[in-house]
Amino acid sequence: MQRIMVVGAGQMGSGIAQVAAQAGYQVYLRDIEDRFVQRGLGVIEKFLSRDVAKGRRTEEEKAAILGRITGTVDLAPAAQCDLVIEAIVENLEAKLALFRELDQICPETTLFASNTSSLPITQLAAVTRRPDRFIGMHFMNPVPVMQLVEVIRGIATSDETYARIRSLAEAMGKTPVEVNDFPGFVSNRVLMPMLNEAMFCVYEGIAGVEEVDTVMKLGMNHPMGPLTLADFIGLDTCLSIMNVLYEGFKDPKYRPCPLLVQMVQAGYLGRKSGRGFYIYDENGATPMKR
Ligand SMILES: CC(=O)CC(=O)SCCNC(=O)CCNC(=O)[C@H](O)C(C)(C)COP(=O)(O)OP(=O)(O)OC[C@H]1O[C@@H](n2cnc3c(N)ncnc32)[C@H](O)[C@@H]1OP(=O)(O)O
Ligand SMILES: NC(=O)C1=CN([C@@H]2O[C@H](COP(=O)(O)OP(=O)(O)OC[C@H]3O[C@@H](n4cnc5c(N)ncnc54)[C@H](OP(=O)(O)O)[C@@H]3O)[C@@H](O)[C@H]2O)C=CC1
């Protein structure tokens, strides 16, 4: 494997492009508008510069990593890639449309991976002519820091595809864990109901935003409180995952908190939009009042 295209230059796509380039692969980073591509490249630049400032990398290494990443708004270079990793918005229709298009562009040998947090790998794979060469490669946020890659086998994923993606994750310095294709996989089946429950605590007036976070940080030693983490993930992504769990299992225990629904409707998407359970501005993070 030599060339990888990452589609979606948001927080996950830019991180995936960075770790792929750090591992020596040639990377195309594609988004629908150039300003999103530039924003993604800017984030990578920023974190590599931080590594240089901390003495973990030289300027030359940084330049070499950046030199391996080509930003683009064009999907056509996917035809020259051995693997496409999709990291666009957590929306089934958007992902299906993208994979249909990629399937037309790419030769049969190209592997497809989705970084989806919860959507069925089997269903995404089924719109392509290569369900055996389709897999879930679920990185954690922030990608350059987190050790885990959840590798999700769709019903038709071949052993060869699995073995290649497992090796790739290892080459990127990550620890792959094999998981089967059920709603939310393991990571978000366990994590997201906890975040949703934290939102219910605020919604029901049991405690304020900061208090809920402090309980989990100091009481359970979580590095971030659940509401800070939900803002960090993106509230739109959290809501999409809860909806996949709710619809996938038809179990009311997965109903999304109405406050989460309302905040997403208002455009309060967390850190990426400047406002979620906290307001992010020059004063730092100020908890929302209820
Ligand atoms: C939704 C899904 O489908 C799946 C998911 O991803 S769920 C989310 C999973 N992620 C988590 O749970 C993250 C929980 N939070 C944490 O682990 C930590 O708060 C954190 C690693 C994000 C930040 O750690 P911190 O100690 O609070 O802050 P900070 O000191 O700024 O950062 C720690 C290190 O991470 C690095 N870092 C932080 N964010 C980074 C980023 N986006 N990219 C690269 N490096 C980053 C920093 O450079 C720093 O490294 P050094 O100390 O070596 O310089
Ligand atoms: N956030 C997290 O903690 C994690 C997220 N994930 C998953 O990763 C994926 C991306 O999430 P995240 O990076 O947080 O989301 P972001 O909102 O940060 O980024 C998504 C990016 O994809 C772009 N995009 C949308 N449609 C297309 C398209 N058709 N082609 C190319 N680019 C497109 C978006 O552009 P625009 O802004 O115009 O919509 C945006 O730049 C989702 O599936 C999510 O569930 C997985 C692990 C963790």
Side-chain angles (χ1 to χ4, degrees), residues 47 50 54 56 117 138 140-142 145-146 188 191 224:
F47 284 112
R50 195 159 150 173
K54 293 214 162 188
R56 285 191 295 246
S117 294
H138 185 204
M140 301 295 125
N141 189 11
V145 178
M146 305 300 280
N188 283 315
L191 175 70
M224 282 175 169

Side-chain angles (χ1 to χ4, degrees), residues 1-9 12-31 37 40-41 44 48 64-74 77-78 80-87 139 168 172:
M1 198 175 292
Q2 290 178 330
R3 272 191 293 268
I4 298 174
M5 176 179 271
V6 179
V7 186
M12 295 307 290
S14 63
I16 296 167
Q18 180 182 333
V19 295
Q22 282 171 193
Y25 298 97
Q26 293 293 331
V27 180
Y28 287 103
L29 180 58
R30 190 264 185 176
D31 210 300
V37 175
L41 292 172
I44 298 172
L48 290 175
I65 293 166
L66 287 173
R68 285 195 282 274
I69 307 175
T70 308
T72 178
V73 291
D74 192 0
Q80 277 98 54
C81 293
D82 307 293
L83 167 70
V84 178
I85 305 177
E86 168 277 313
F139 291 84
L168 173 67
M172 290 173 168

